[in-house]
Amino acid sequence: EAEVAQSPRYKITEKSQAVAFWCDPISGHATLYWYRQILGQGPELLVQFQDESVVDDSQLPKDRFSAERLKGVDSTLKIQPAELGDSAMYLCASSHSTGANVLTFGAGSRLTVL
Amino acid sequence: AQSVSQHNHHVILSEAASLELGCNYSYGGTVNLFWYVQYPGQHLQLLLKYFSGDPLVKGIKGFEAEFIKSKFSFNLRKPSVQWSDTAEYFCAPRGADKLIFGTGTRLQVFP
């Protein structure tokens, strides 16, 4: 069964450092999502791509977070500088397109900021 | 604005007990509704979905959910839970191409 690949699975960093997460969606999926899940809460959408274009980044803290999907395939989410409150699970998901489609999630990247 | 509310944060049941998890959403337009589940140590995965038609939908592992439009609700049910149903359950309405998640309900089932 096709999967959404994410790396690294775990990342520990000190505050003010830069950190990056990578996601490879299911082949052929045009829509890619980055969610953040803080312990004890539901996932919160950070950014949504349709191919290489951002269609929703309203909840992305743009002063420190950036996301790109240059060729419309894999994607990178970067945080610089990391803050203590960024400790969370960062989930990537993909779907065939927007609309009434099911999202397939990756295993996530757990970030701990010390 | 779109929002979702899950009423139960933590539910503890014995095996064979019946389960109902509440979910209410707020959105003025057409909405698709999902329940996702996260088993310990595993990915978030789809449990069931409602797009249109019969408001009673069936998902994997004996779960079902009923869409009641007048109440803006999409409650999850299972007649008889098993120990293996121990997981976190998320209600997720999708409107205007944006999928949002509730805060989740942690279900613990004891043998």
Side-chain angles (χ1 to χ4, degrees):
Chain A
E1 185 177 338
E3 292 187 346
V4 174
Q6 288 190 248
S7 67
R9 287 294 308 275
Y10 303 94
K11 178 71 177 179
I12 300 173
T13 191
E14 293 185 344
K15 66 178 183 177
S16 79
Q17 296 298 304
V19 62
F21 304 110
W22 176 80
C23 171
D24 191 13
I26 291 173
S27 178
H29 279 193
T31 311
L32 185 146
Y33 312 78
W34 283 102
Y35 283 84
R36 175 172 61 185
Q37 186 176 17
I38 295 170
L39 196 62
Q41 299 182 21
E44 171 197 22
L45 180 66
L46 292 176
V47 62
Q48 177 179 336
F49 289 92
Q50 179 67 25
D51 299 311
E52 66 276 8
S53 300
V54 173
V55 297
D56 187 345
D57 63 357
S58 56
Q59 299 303 311
L60 188 71
K62 298 180 189 63
D63 57 335
R64 297 184 300 107
F65 285 64
S66 64
E68 59 183 17
R69 193 184 183 198
L70 293 176
K71 297 182 180 179
V73 181
D74 58 339
S75 175
T76 302
L77 177 70
K78 296 178 181 177
I79 309 173
Q80 183 173 17
E83 295 181 354
L84 296 177
D86 297 331
S87 294
M89 179 74 86
Y90 290 84
L91 298 168
C92 181
S94 68
S95 67
H96 261 293
S97 67
T98 57
N101 278 286
V102 175
L103 274 63
T104 301
F105 283 84
S109 295
R110 181 167 294 283
L111 173 65
T112 302
V113 182
L114 303 175
Chain B
Q2 189 177 338
S3 67
V4 57
S5 174
Q6 290 187 240
H7 313 304
N8 318 96
H9 295 293
H10 190 188
V11 174
I12 301 173
L13 294 173
S14 299
E15 277 192 317
S18 64
L19 171 72
E20 181 159 2
L21 302 182
C23 172
N24 285 93
Y25 67 92
S26 172
Y27 184 70
T30 301
V31 65
N32 304 127
L33 296 156
F34 303 81
W35 276 94
Y36 278 83
V37 60
Q38 190 166 29
Y39 297 103
Q42 296 189 26
H43 307 188
L44 265 171
Q45 59 186 276
L46 181 70
L47 194 59
L48 49 77
K49 61 185 184 289
Y50 172 79
F51 291 163
S52 63
D54 188 344
L56 184 63
V57 293
K58 297 190 184 300
I60 60 172
K61 303 187 179 185
F63 284 88
E64 64 180 32
E66 184 175 12
F67 169 52
I68 303 179
K69 189 175 181 180
S70 61
K71 294 184 177 180
F72 297 91
S73 70
F74 190 56
N75 293 352
L76 181 70
R77 301 195 291 248
K78 186 170 183 178
S80 176
V81 295
Q82 299 175 315
W83 176 79
S84 58
D85 294 326
T86 294
E88 189 140 19
Y89 294 81
F90 295 93
C91 179
R94 182 172 193 156
D97 291 338
K98 187 167 183 175
L99 183 72
I100 65 169
F101 285 83
T103 51
T105 297
R106 184 178 170 210
L107 172 66
Q108 283 184 289
V109 180
F110 289 96

